[in-house]
Amino acid sequence: MALLTLFLLFAFVSMAPARVKWSEVVGLKPDLAEERIRKDMPTAKFQVLKVGQAVTMDFVPWRVRIFVDSAGNVARIPVVG
């Protein structure tokens, strides 16, 4: 049982992304932000949303939401979830 627990813990940690937020992309266009984030998280699925737009409260470990302002630039720090 301990061996199985150790294996599952290792599998979970190895699947976790190295980073979970990207402050350096604030102010960029969403496509450039996605390109930068993919370097750290190649399997990311992106949602580009307007600031203030309604979102679900669920956590999805491969999702990164990118909020853009009225000029179309990244307005908030994108995070995993």
Side-chain angles (χ1 to χ4, degrees):
M1 186 66 165
L3 186 58
L4 177 61
T5 303
L6 184 61
F7 174 76
L8 292 174
L9 179 62
F10 175 76
F12 177 75
V13 169
S14 64
M15 289 173 39
R19 293 185 61 188
V20 295
K21 61 183 180 177
W22 294 267
S23 59
E24 70 273 15
V25 302
V26 172
L28 298 178
K29 293 293 182 188
D31 57 335
L32 295 175
E34 288 180 20
E35 185 179 313
R36 172 60 189 96
I37 294 167
R38 279 209 191 279
K39 291 179 182 177
D40 295 322
M41 192 176 173
T43 60
K45 302 294 182 207
F46 296 96
Q47 282 186 332
V48 178
L49 306 159
K50 294 179 181 178
V51 171
Q53 187 172 341
V55 296
T56 59
M57 296 299 293
D58 60 332
F59 180 85
V60 180
W62 54 83
R63 176 179 62 204
V64 177
R65 288 183 172 144
I66 297 176
F67 289 93
V68 296
D69 58 21
S70 59
N73 297 321
V74 178
R76 293 186 190 165
I77 299 172
V79 296
V80 171

